[in-house]
Amino acid sequence: MKADLVVKNIDNLITLKGPSRARTKEEMREIGLIKNGIVAINGDKIIYVGEGELPADIEIDENTLFLDGKGKTVTPGLVDSHTHLVHGGSREHELAMKLNGAKYLDILEAGGGIHSTVSATRKASFDELYRKAKKSLDIMLGYGVTTVEAKSGYGLDDFDTEIKQMGIAKKLDEDHPVDVVSTFMAAHAIPSKYKDNPKEFINIIISEMIPEVAKRNLAKFCDVFCEKGVFTVEESKKILEAGLSHGLLAKVHADEIESLGGAELAAEVGCVSADHLVAASDKGIKMMAEKGVIANLLPATSFNLQANKFAKARKMIEEGVAVSLSTDYNPGSCPTENMQLVMSFASIIMKLTPEEVITAATINGAASLKLEEKIGSIEIGKKADLVIFDAPNLNYIIYHFGINHTDKVVKNGKVVFEKSKHISC
Ligand code: IZC
Ligand code: ZN
């Protein structure tokens, strides 16, 4: 077969070779490292992965593009499997409130937080929201992210705004090199109109919105903010089960701030992932391990919430829960698109090893999006999504934190980002 693109002389080629499923326990340290590695690509697929030179059956010609991996570390494209990418406005005014001691849930309770982004998103046009989300997606790509999940949830009872958000995610998926996976999340806050009667809003989500989202194929997942003062465990269960009955896979914002039993709920319902889990109970963690629910951890959010509490990632891995990592990019609790910073936080604060971190940010992130058969590792037949880091080894990427180590990003077999073409990022 002919190679259109070859990356060779790679000092550290991190393949993540292994089963096409979320990796657990010590598997999370098996990164399939090849020294002096070489990768060949035809079209949008990987056709060869090895050491040294290409074998004779891989043809090259004058059109084959060669990239030099000397001094570089190459990994699968990063997967950011939890973001609130599409939204209007920003919430920097909350910083002063937080510095004065206001808590995220107090701001929400007082009608700010998510509600202020809901008004900004409702007001913004499709084009305005599209341009803003595209700008963030460009930044994410620059940090090495090739697949992103994007949630709705800033329309709430205004279904047209929910549809607008999911429509933007779909259009970005078509227009932008980064793949965008859409999640329906009208159950993100209780709209003021339904403050005294949340049941009515939940019924609308279940009987009107979910069937329409499924019919129009607007989302792959359904998610709920299961949290004190937002949706209870019982309410979340109803919504997630309604989603499942219409073919929407389940994810849940679980035990982010208060320990409500979100991890247990995720195991009972059969969620693909439970996200946040900062306050997850030991029993919940055990149940997740038994049911194969992925713990999607978001340490940059914990950092930004200023509560000095992080998910017990080590315990989760020891118990056999597969861990993935995401930015949680959103205007309130985590205004950053920087997946590499998340990776550093995961290691420095949550004590994951660099090997566990890269597993969590690639193959396990892919599994959080049910895309583990297609992406997340550098193996023959998988999508040609790679990051070439200007870093001599994996440890360096994580240790030298807060900057962008990306040299080039290859998405679907094409070079779509080159550091040399950007002044700085
Ligand atoms: O806009 O505050 N946690 N939802 C749940 C968010 C954070 C997003 C936001
Ligand atoms: Zn979130």
Side-chain angles (χ1 to χ4, degrees), residues 82-84 104 149 151 154 185 188 223 225 253 256 275-276 298 301 328-330 333:
H82 181 139
T83 87
H84 302 255
Y104 176 88
E149 182 254 19
K151 299 176 197 296
Y154 293 120
M185 197 183 174
H188 192 197
D223 194 343
F225 190 12
H253 283 60
E256 175 178 356
D275 299 39
H276 290 290
L298 318 161
T301 306
D328 191 21
Y329 170 61
N330 77 75
S333 64

Side-chain angles (χ1 to χ4, degrees), residues 50-62:
E51 193 231 310
E53 298 296 326
L54 288 177
D57 60 337
I58 304 284
E59 299 152 30
I60 51 163
D61 64 19
E62 68 280 5

